[in-house]
Amino acid sequence: MAEQVAVSHDVTKLVERIKDIKIAMMTTVEPSGELHSRPMYTHEPEADGTLWFFTERDSAKIDEVQQEQHVNLGYSKPDQNLYVSISGTATVVNDRQKIKDLWSEGLRAWFPKGSDDPNISLLRVDISRGEYWDQPSNVLVRAFGYVKAVTTGERYQPTGDEHAKVNPS
């Protein structure tokens, strides 16, 4: 039996789930066509779903995004059984005022010269679609699911188990 997946156009469902997850695995496409993933720090997502990332202007990801704007972001909170995948379009932004607006002192570890560092760029990701899996994390719920699967041969669908696709447009 095929899994029923809810489809929503409300990007806030994605933003709500990732707002407390600071590190995403960003996947870009190298000039050779190979996929390249790396951890990236996500700044507070905007209400409309716009995501911002600081990076070095001379980094490989800038070249990759300028050649192929489609990126994927993977977020997870395994201890809460929460997993989110976001596909979007990345744009390189060199707006000095936007860099200053998003700057936080914790970024100095990567950018010791501060927000005036001429090698800082931003990656703006506009969400085209996303998918999330949000499941109860209680050990007893999982144990019950295991027992049901073993005894009945059927998959247990706990109350509160949520899997949805989000297509903002």
Side-chain angles (χ1 to χ4, degrees):
M1 183 159 101
E3 176 185 13
Q4 295 293 321
V5 180
V7 177
S8 170
H9 300 289
D10 186 0
V11 75
T12 59
K13 291 181 179 290
L14 290 172
V15 172
E16 182 64 30
R17 282 168 174 80
I18 67 167
K19 70 178 180 168
D20 296 326
I21 306 173
K22 293 303 177 193
I23 303 298
M25 288 300 291
M26 177 183 282
T27 303
T28 56
V29 180
E30 294 179 336
S32 67
E34 296 287 321
L35 299 177
H36 183 188
S37 298
R38 82 273 288 153
M40 296 288 291
Y41 179 85
T42 307
H43 289 272
E44 187 70 31
E46 293 184 4
D48 67 358
T50 302
L51 304 171
W52 293 96
F53 303 88
F54 275 77
T55 190
E56 299 85 4
R57 188 175 287 188
D58 59 1
S59 69
K61 70 182 100 31
I62 294 291
D63 294 335
E64 292 163 6
V65 163
Q66 288 176 331
Q67 300 229 349
E68 173 55 67
Q69 289 186 295
H70 294 97
V71 299
N72 186 266
L73 300 164
Y75 293 88
S76 69
K77 257 189 176 177
D79 59 326
Q80 294 182 14
N81 283 332
L82 173 62
Y83 303 91
V84 180
S85 177
I86 293 174
S87 296
T89 304
T91 307
V92 178
V93 176
N94 292 311
D95 179 334
R96 301 315 302 171
Q97 187 56 52
K98 188 66 175 175
I99 290 169
K100 287 182 185 300
D101 292 346
L102 294 175
W103 180 262
S104 66
E105 204 49 37
L107 291 165
R108 200 170 287 275
W110 291 278
F111 305 100
K113 296 177 185 173
S115 62
D116 291 325
D117 185 337
N119 195 35
I120 294 177
S121 282
L122 295 170
L123 285 178
R124 172 191 170 132
V125 176
D126 295 301
I127 298 173
S128 9
R129 66 183 173 162
E131 190 167 1
Y132 61 86
W133 299 261
D134 194 353
Q135 305 164 337
S137 58
N138 184 309
V139 173
L140 291 175
V141 170
R142 287 184 289 181
F144 178 79
Y146 173 80
V147 170
K148 181 178 184 205
V150 168
T151 58
T152 67
E154 294 178 13
R155 182 177 176 193
Y156 173 62
Q157 287 289 30
T159 305
D161 187 22
E162 200 173 346
H163 175 200
K165 294 182 180 182
V166 177
N167 295 317
S169 50

